[in-house]
Amino acid sequence: MLPVLALGEYGGPLQRLVLAWKNGGMLHLGAPLALALGPAVAALAEDAEVSEPALVPVPSRLGARLRRGEDHTVELVRGLGRAGSGTPLLLRSAPTTAQEGQGARQRRTREIRVTGRRAHRAGQSGTSVVIVDDVVTTGSTLRGMHEALTEAGMDVLGAAVIASARIPPAHSAQLPA
């Protein structure tokens, strides 16, 4: 299982913050979000005994990048790099399908391709990476990134995300049936 660390559940103030950053033109929020996400990256690296992981952003679709004026996950990774949380590894990657407007079943089948010389070099050296994303819903994007990066030869330590659509209970095994 891929460890995924989130700042919180996607709702209330955190949801409003993410939406203002992604779609509301408040690009300046990327820097404080990166600082807040730094401890999650550090925890994943520490668990794997890695001093400075490579940080790989989940790819955004071209239409979303054009509409927003930036690739927000790339800027989040750059902010994490400036904060000393790791080294940005900006790979040529593309989702094979868009997720907007799809149901949970359709989202679970998402695939991602990683290509290019940087990916080849990182794979050959077995680079340790942390996947960075804004919101995890079904986990299919993270699963697709994990598969693509592992296939390329990289060691995926986990994922750091700003918010999760659902946070599982801490002691779900102890809950009554």
Side-chain angles (χ1 to χ4, degrees), residues 116-133:
R117 281 183 254 179
R118 278 190 202 142
H120 182 70
R121 282 194 302 266
Q124 283 187 324
S125 65
T127 300
S128 295
V129 301
V130 172
I131 301 168
V132 178
D133 201 3

Side-chain angles (χ1 to χ4, degrees), residues 90-94 113-119:
L90 306 179
L91 302 174
R92 206 181 293 164
S93 55
R113 286 184 299 250
V114 175
T115 61
R117 281 183 254 179
R118 278 190 202 142

Side-chain angles (χ1 to χ4, degrees), residues 155-168:
D155 178 28
V156 180
L157 307 178
V161 300
I162 296 170
S164 174
R166 312 171 267 160
I167 302 289

Side-chain angles (χ1 to χ4, degrees), residues 7-140:
L7 295 179
E9 192 162 343
Y10 189 62
L14 186 56
Q15 181 179 15
R16 288 191 295 278
L17 179 69
V18 169
L19 291 174
W21 168 58
K22 283 176 58 171
N23 301 323
M26 302 194 70
L27 306 179
H28 67 282
L29 294 174
L33 286 169
L35 285 174
L37 204 53
V41 172
L44 291 167
E46 186 178 314
D47 285 349
E49 299 178 2
V50 172
S51 60
E52 188 172 334
L55 306 169
V56 178
V58 167
S60 297
R61 290 181 303 113
L62 178 60
R65 292 192 310 261
L66 292 173
R67 186 178 71 250
R68 294 178 182 132
E70 75 170 7
D71 188 330
H72 68 289
T73 53
V74 166
E75 293 307 315
L76 185 60
V77 161
R78 287 181 175 147
L80 283 162
R82 283 189 294 275
S85 296
T87 305
L89 179 58
L90 306 179
L91 302 174
R92 206 181 293 164
S93 55
T96 57
T97 59
Q99 292 210 58
E100 292 175 15
Q102 292 187 348
R105 179 178 295 162
Q106 293 159 321
R107 287 178 179 233
R108 285 189 203 101
T109 62
R110 189 165 196 214
E111 294 177 20
I112 296 176
R113 286 184 299 250
V114 175
T115 61
R117 281 183 254 179
R118 278 190 202 142
H120 182 70
R121 282 194 302 266
Q124 283 187 324
S125 65
T127 300
S128 295
V129 301
V130 172
I131 301 168
V132 178
D133 201 3
D134 54 2
V135 179
V136 61
T137 52
T138 64
S140 67

